[in-house]
Amino acid sequence: MRILLPCLLALVPTAHAQTPPSVQAGPVAPAPAFEARAKELATLLADTAGYDGFFSPGFRAAVPREKFEPITASLRDANGPISGVRIEAMATPWAGTLEVDYRDAVVTMTMAVDAAAPHQVSGLRVTNISRREKSLDEVAAALRALHGNTGLAFAKLGSGAPQLLLRHQEDRPFAIGSAFKLVILAELVRATNAGERKWDDLVTLDGSELPGGGYTRKPKGTQVSLRELATQMISISDNSATDILLRTLGREKVEAMLPVVGVRDPARNRPFLATLELFKLKGIEANDLAGRYLAQGEAGRRRMLEGEVANVPMLLIKPSLFRDGKPVLIEQLEWFLSPADLVRVMDWLRRNTEGPKGADARAVLSKSSGIPPAAAGKWQWVGYKGGSEPGVINMTLLLEAKTGDWYVLTASWNDPAQAVTDARFASLITRAAELAAPGP
């Protein structure tokens, strides 16, 4: 499963080859060559064919084309096509702040141009992205307009049931990608709270086949703590850590947590799949593995997982799985929770991690905020898990306001016919998190 963080980071590039000169006193007019480069920037951000001539050798060394192109593509995916660039303010005739108008956002950039001919750009940095949505209702409208199906819930948490403040298809189950790992975390929280396990308990790797991740090539006999496995599972969505943890805690115990944490249709997620099992079912075409699995009832599916699916080598998974951008059985083989389910899951985690005993779990849940620092900074504390594969994306945030109140923001986007645009979705949820933050 792809994780969302690289997508988000691509929207906030920080590398630049040269520090702009110091600010001059009083209004500063841009040099004609700076104005010319500013006009050219709109074309370059839409089509990087002029990259070599536009940027100085120093910039090209710091930000090679192969790094620059994905950044510009992510900006377009998230914010739509460019309509223009304007100079907002100048620090010197050769360094200033620009505002780039995209269809759905205004992106602020700083740019430095060499004073010497041929006046190439030596520094370019994105400093802010301001979405055009001015309210949560506008964000919800933008989500509803996306192709496929979307769901959204924003809820305030308290002593009783969550209070839904904003909703869209909140009771519809969606494929949620790696956000399913929140249920595994919930079972670990239950077990440690009950004294059945400790966060520092060690797991000894038994050499079993594992999906991609940090433990795939670890030798048999390697020991790793539950704390480390949980941290890697949640913070970077490590699939090998996930499968080790699921096996250690027990599939049936994780399944038993589904109704406990508030999932309204637990049967749809039984058997609760490990990531490698899902990859095999989706990626091994021989003998119609997925079709035969889906034709079984729950008991038959369990027998297949324990027998045929466990024994078939992962080398048979087609290399193009998830790499070609094509959705694969996302309505049949996935993990399915509604936005309202995920609100209840996060509420359960909040309630069961209060006080000193919850410090370990909250450290795991907040290792990655899932949203850029400027948006996360509007909140006192941010816990996050999301997930995606072609045709699927989810972002779920547990948020503590600076007032001390608690909220959940969660949204999903599914399309079985085509890939979804991760950057576009992430930018909308980031904007929602900014708008939802209560005032001081």
Side-chain angles (χ1 to χ4, degrees):
M1 299 245 137
R2 302 193 313 272
I3 58 174
L4 199 55
L5 185 57
C7 167
L8 290 171
L9 292 178
L11 300 179
V12 193
T14 58
H16 55 92
Q18 176 177 303
T19 302
S22 58
V23 178
Q24 295 181 357
V28 179
F34 184 97
E35 290 183 303
R37 290 297 186 189
K39 291 178 181 178
E40 293 171 17
L41 180 62
T43 299
L44 184 82
L45 292 172
D47 181 354
T48 60
Y51 170 88
D52 290 336
F54 187 82
F55 290 113
S56 69
F59 184 95
R60 297 199 304 272
V63 188
R65 183 196 290 264
E66 58 267 23
K67 290 178 63 177
F68 183 76
E69 287 180 340
I71 292 171
T72 58
S74 290
L75 286 167
R76 293 192 301 273
D77 286 345
N79 306 304
I82 296 170
S83 59
V85 175
R86 60 184 177 277
I87 298 171
E88 178 65 17
M90 298 300 297
T92 78
W94 300 100
T97 301
L98 309 176
E99 289 190 342
V100 183
D101 285 317
Y102 288 78
R103 181 194 62 207
D104 302 318
V106 176
V107 178
T108 304
M109 301 184 184
T110 57
M111 186 173 77
V113 175
D114 286 340
H119 306 301
Q120 291 177 310
V121 172
S122 58
L124 184 67
R125 180 179 182 181
V126 174
T127 60
N128 188 56
I129 301 175
S130 178
R131 300 272 323 167
R132 297 192 187 278
E133 291 84 14
K134 301 302 181 186
S135 69
L136 287 173
D137 286 339
E138 289 185 13
V139 173
L143 280 170
R144 288 194 296 270
L146 298 173
H147 59 81
N149 285 293
T150 57
L152 169 71
F154 176 59
K156 186 174 183 179
L157 309 180
S159 58
Q163 177 188 358
L164 285 172
L165 305 177
L166 184 68
R167 63 182 77 187
H168 164 55
Q169 297 204 99
E170 72 279 6
D171 291 320
R172 176 180 179 143
F174 289 87
I176 59 169
S178 287
F180 82 92
K181 296 167 186 178
L182 288 169
V183 183
I184 300 177
L185 179 64
E187 165 55 18
L188 181 56
V189 169
R190 184 208 63 78
T192 53
N193 285 354
E196 297 170 13
R197 297 182 183 273
K198 296 182 176 63
W199 286 93
D200 291 320
D201 285 350
L202 295 176
V203 178
T204 302
L205 303 192
D206 61 7
S208 298
E209 207 172 42
L210 291 169
Y215 304 94
T216 305
R217 292 183 173 84
K218 295 286 186 183
K220 181 179 179 180
T222 298
Q223 291 190 314
V224 58
S225 70
L226 294 177
R227 181 197 315 278
E228 180 183 323
L229 290 169
T231 299
Q232 298 300 98
M233 176 181 73
I234 297 297
S235 66
I236 63 170
S237 213
D238 186 300
N239 289 324
S240 62
T242 301
D243 283 10
I244 295 167
L245 200 52
L246 178 60
R247 186 183 308 136
T248 300
L249 298 175
R251 192 197 307 269
E252 289 77 12
K253 287 198 172 184
V254 172
E255 290 171 348
M257 286 301 294
L258 288 165
V260 172
V261 297
V263 176
R264 292 289 169 82
D265 186 11
R268 188 168 184 183
N269 293 288
R270 296 195 309 255
F272 197 88
L273 292 171
T275 54
L276 182 56
E277 291 169 341
L278 183 84
F279 297 161
K280 287 182 176 181
L281 288 167
K282 290 197 177 205
I284 297 177
E285 297 175 340
N287 300 318
D288 189 26
L289 187 64
R292 290 187 293 110
Y293 176 83
L294 291 169
Q296 299 289 322
E298 184 178 322
R301 291 182 181 187
R302 290 188 190 278
R303 287 192 295 270
M304 282 191 69
L305 292 179
E306 293 166 3
E308 183 178 359
V309 175
N311 294 327
V312 66
M314 62 185 293
L315 289 174
L316 295 181
I317 299 173
K318 61 182 181 181
S320 62
L321 181 66
F322 302 141
R323 296 179 183 175
D324 57 10
K326 296 179 180 179
V328 181
L329 297 171
I330 69 166
E331 294 181 316
Q332 295 83 26
L333 284 170
E334 245 275 359
W335 300 270
F336 300 94
L337 272 71
S338 70
D341 286 336
L342 284 162
V343 167
R344 291 186 287 267
V345 170
M346 280 299 203
D347 192 26
W348 188 93
L349 286 167
R350 173 190 69 97
R351 292 170 184 268
N352 288 273
T353 57
E354 293 177 338
K357 71 177 182 180
D360 295 291
R362 288 201 179 177
V364 167
L365 199 54
S366 61
K367 185 78 171 179
S368 168
S369 70
I371 52 178
K378 292 183 177 293
W379 297 89
Q380 181 70 27
W381 185 91
V382 179
Y384 170 76
K385 189 72 194 84
S388 66
E389 66 169 281
V392 173
I393 191 168
N394 169 271
M395 292 180 70
T396 299
L397 297 116
L398 176 60
L399 302 160
E400 182 185 15
K402 294 180 179 180
T403 60
D405 294 324
W406 286 88
Y407 298 83
V408 175
L409 173 65
T410 181
S412 292
W413 180 12
N414 288 180
D415 192 331
Q418 60 181 302
V420 297
T421 308
D422 290 1
R424 167 75 168 141
F425 182 84
S427 69
L428 285 170
I429 305 312
T430 296
R431 183 60 175 153
E434 292 174 332
L435 291 167

